[in-house]
Amino acid sequence: MAKLEIAVQDVAGTRAALAGGADRIELCSALAVGGLTPSAGTAEASVEAAARRDGFVHALVRSRPGGYVYDADEVDTMCRDIRVLKAAGVHGVVVGALTAGGEIDLATLARWVEAAGGLPVTFHRALDASRDPMGQLMRLAGTGVGRVLSSGGRARAIEGLDMLGAMRRGGPEGIEVMAGGGVRAEDIRALVGTGVDAVHLSARESYLDPHPAGPGGGAQELDATSVDLVTRAQAECAAQAH
């Protein structure tokens, strides 16, 4: 059966993913901008919440929004973040970097894999922003990356079914393919039908904070991981397996 990964941005999200039966999480902050590196405190608390689930907490390492071409200071910062997150007890890290020419930045990736010190490493949807997602996937062989997150090069994974299937069938041996990108529960059976190893979604619901942020304090609309949506997504994964 395909695994279910939920992108969460706080400890409450970690608990919701556990309660809904997810197989693992991608722990982030700021999902509204695609996800950024979580704080050390959030990582520690999430690892404690998932203490009985080995391999459950994988942390995104992304220092800013925008594209995936990073300067030397940003690369160094993310190396430091990886080491901090490892010390906090996370079970894996999620990274991605490209060159200005749209290829995977193998030199930067090697530094991050080294910083991870043996933790499982996932290459995120920077792959979809590359000039040739399938060709660039092949370049990950032997890099220490064990999993890729991809929408099949499209805005939403449900639109990239053919490419996801090709990645799963023709990608490097030992690298799992996880479908993600605008995934809804109703998309999961079709995605799993391509043969992917896992499905990734955020399973969030929006709500208004009843407590005012004050003048200039920011938006009142927040979002939270929904146990019900996680449960439904897990059921869809299980249904496709039978």
Side-chain angles (χ1 to χ4, degrees), residues 1 14 32 36 54 59 64 70 75 79 90 109 129 134 139 143 157 166 170 175 185 204 215 227 235 238:
M1 185 176 83
T14 301
L36 300 176
D54 186 43
R64 58 160 172 78
Y70 298 110
V75 172
C79 283
V90 302
L109 180 60
M134 187 67 188
R139 297 181 73 225
T143 61
I175 296 183
R204 290 177 290 158
V227 175

Side-chain angles (χ1 to χ4, degrees), residues 51-139:
R52 298 182 180 180
R53 294 287 303 278
D54 186 43
F56 192 78
V57 181
H58 294 244
L60 175 66
V61 181
R62 182 183 179 216
S63 61
R64 58 160 172 78
Y68 307 107
V69 179
Y70 298 110
D71 64 27
D73 286 335
E74 290 171 324
V75 172
D76 180 66
T77 295
M78 285 186 269
C79 283
R80 294 169 186 263
D81 284 336
I82 289 169
R83 290 192 287 266
V84 167
L85 290 165
K86 183 179 182 183
V90 302
H91 306 129
V93 293
V94 182
V95 298
L98 301 177
T99 68
E103 297 186 338
I104 290 173
D105 187 339
L106 293 174
T108 291
L109 180 60
R111 288 190 61 190
W112 291 341
V113 169
E114 181 181 11
L119 287 181
V121 176
T122 298
F123 195 93
H124 60 50
R125 288 189 63 206
L127 182 65
D128 295 316
S130 72
R131 61 179 178 82
D132 174 17
M134 187 67 188
Q136 293 304 303
L137 170 62
M138 303 307 295
R139 297 181 73 225

Side-chain angles (χ1 to χ4, degrees), residues 175-237:
I175 296 183
E176 295 181 1
V177 175
M178 177 165 55
V183 174
R184 301 167 184 161
E186 56 266 30
D187 302 330
I188 290 176
R189 295 195 194 195
L191 291 169
V192 174
T194 67
V196 295
D197 301 283
V199 176
H200 167 105
L201 67 157
S202 64
R204 290 177 290 158
E205 291 182 329
S206 298
Y207 68 97
L208 291 177
D209 188 342
H211 308 292
Q220 292 294 123
E221 186 175 13
L222 304 175
D223 51 55
T225 307
S226 164
V227 175
D228 289 344
L229 288 177
V230 177
T231 301
R232 181 183 171 194
Q234 185 60 271
E236 292 294 328
C237 285

Side-chain angles (χ1 to χ4, degrees), residues 4-25:
L4 176 66
E5 180 177 283
I6 303 296
V8 309
Q9 57 192 351
D10 49 32
V11 182
T14 301
R15 297 188 191 281
L18 286 163
D23 294 289
R24 62 176 172 262
I25 60 170

